[in-house]
Amino acid sequence: MSIFISLLQKTSSIKRVCILFIVSHLVILSMMLFTFPVINNQIGTKAFDMQSFGYSVSTAESIVNNLNTQTTDLYLFPQLTLLDVLYPFLLALFLSSFIFRLFLITKTKNKANSILLIVPFLAMGFDYLENTCIILMISKSIEMSESFVLLSSSFTVLKGTLTSIAWLSILIYSIKWLKLRIKEKKK
């Protein structure tokens, strides 16, 4: 845990938080502008990664069946094995560093709240598990059973839920910081 805190201390300056925000969002922007439009157009719906509330077996089968070789290759690389490897890590580091910074400036020292620092990295882990499942499905390396699709879909939902918790934490602690600033100025 001390290595993790040391990393967050190094990445939680205003400058580094801003750099992490810009770099992570440039990666997601490239996905939204270049890879996802091609994939979504080919399959006629949103890609697995973008189905925030999960997906059914029939949806998964439809996605896989609508992929042609060229789009499958694009989905595998650069989407899943480059961009969607970089983005979850960069986003997790940005979110944790930002939360850590907010804890410092709001003087939050509650041990229970420090769990929030790990939440973005848990989301990253679920994103990587989701990517692995998607790779297995679109490469047709595994039989698309109901239990496998449910597992993959669960990883997608957990990734989104944990990421939302991290963003909500940032909102809450930013409001706390603003209230402290207003209180200080009144003194």
Side-chain angles (χ1 to χ4, degrees), residues 99-175:
I99 293 168
F100 185 80
R101 178 158 189 79
L102 288 168
F103 283 176
L104 290 175
I105 62 177
T106 59
K107 297 173 178 52
T108 301
K109 295 187 180 188
N110 185 336
K111 292 281 187 190
N113 288 348
S114 64
I115 291 170
L116 292 173
L117 298 172
I118 298 169
V119 166
F121 286 95
L122 291 173
M124 177 190 79
F126 285 118
D127 199 341
Y128 290 157
L129 290 170
E130 168 200 48
N131 292 348
T132 302
C133 291
I134 295 169
I135 289 168
L136 291 171
M137 286 189 287
I138 68 173
S139 65
K140 299 180 180 172
S141 299
I142 193 164
E143 183 183 326
M144 201 170 319
S145 66
E146 187 174 341
S147 59
F148 186 79
V149 172
L150 177 62
L151 180 68
S152 179
S153 179
S154 297
F155 292 150
T156 303
V157 172
L158 286 167
K159 167 194 78 171
T161 302
L162 291 170
T163 302
S164 296
I165 290 169
W167 280 109
L168 188 59
S169 300
I170 287 172
L171 177 64
I172 290 167
Y173 282 96
S174 293
I175 291 169

Side-chain angles (χ1 to χ4, degrees), residues 2 4-13 16 97 100 104:
S2 62
F4 179 64
I5 297 299
S6 175
L7 173 66
L8 293 181
Q9 288 171 336
K10 291 176 185 172
T11 58
S12 65
S13 69
R16 289 189 176 151
S97 297
F100 185 80
L104 290 175

Side-chain angles (χ1 to χ4, degrees), residues 2-184:
S2 62
I3 295 171
F4 179 64
I5 297 299
S6 175
L7 173 66
L8 293 181
Q9 288 171 336
K10 291 176 185 172
T11 58
S12 65
S13 69
I14 292 171
K15 180 181 176 182
R16 289 189 176 151
V17 167
C18 289
I19 289 169
L20 285 168
F21 175 82
I22 291 166
V23 173
S24 64
H25 284 76
L26 283 174
V27 174
I28 191 70
L29 182 63
S30 66
M31 288 191 275
M32 293 300 176
L33 292 176
F34 302 110
T35 56
F36 279 132
V38 173
I39 294 165
N40 293 345
N41 186 49
Q42 177 67 42
I43 62 176
T45 187
K46 291 180 186 174
F48 287 109
D49 322 61
M50 299 177 77
Q51 305 241 0
S52 304
F53 299 107
Y55 38 87
S56 65
V57 175
S58 61
T59 300
E61 287 172 344
S62 174
I63 290 171
V64 171
N65 292 335
N66 286 329
L67 284 169
N68 63 22
T69 304
Q70 184 181 4
T71 310
T72 300
D73 291 344
L74 176 71
Y75 207 163
L76 290 170
F77 182 85
Q79 178 55 42
L80 288 169
T81 56
L82 176 63
L83 298 172
D84 212 9
V85 170
L86 293 173
Y87 178 67
F89 173 73
L90 291 168
L91 182 65
L93 189 56
F94 160 69
L95 292 170
S96 286
S97 297
F98 196 177
I99 293 168
F100 185 80
R101 178 158 189 79
L102 288 168
F103 283 176
L104 290 175
I105 62 177
T106 59
K107 297 173 178 52
T108 301
K109 295 187 180 188
N110 185 336
K111 292 281 187 190
N113 288 348
S114 64
I115 291 170
L116 292 173
L117 298 172
I118 298 169
V119 166
F121 286 95
L122 291 173
M124 177 190 79
F126 285 118
D127 199 341
Y128 290 157
L129 290 170
E130 168 200 48
N131 292 348
T132 302
C133 291
I134 295 169
I135 289 168
L136 291 171
M137 286 189 287
I138 68 173
S139 65
K140 299 180 180 172
S141 299
I142 193 164
E143 183 183 326
M144 201 170 319
S145 66
E146 187 174 341
S147 59
F148 186 79
V149 172
L150 177 62
L151 180 68
S152 179
S153 179
S154 297
F155 292 150
T156 303
V157 172
L158 286 167
K159 167 194 78 171
T161 302
L162 291 170
T163 302
S164 296
I165 290 169
W167 280 109
L168 188 59
S169 300
I170 287 172
L171 177 64
I172 290 167
Y173 282 96
S174 293
I175 291 169
K176 181 179 178 180
W177 174 72
L178 284 172
K179 285 181 178 179
L180 288 171
R181 294 277 296 173
I182 291 168
K183 193 176 180 180
E184 285 174 10

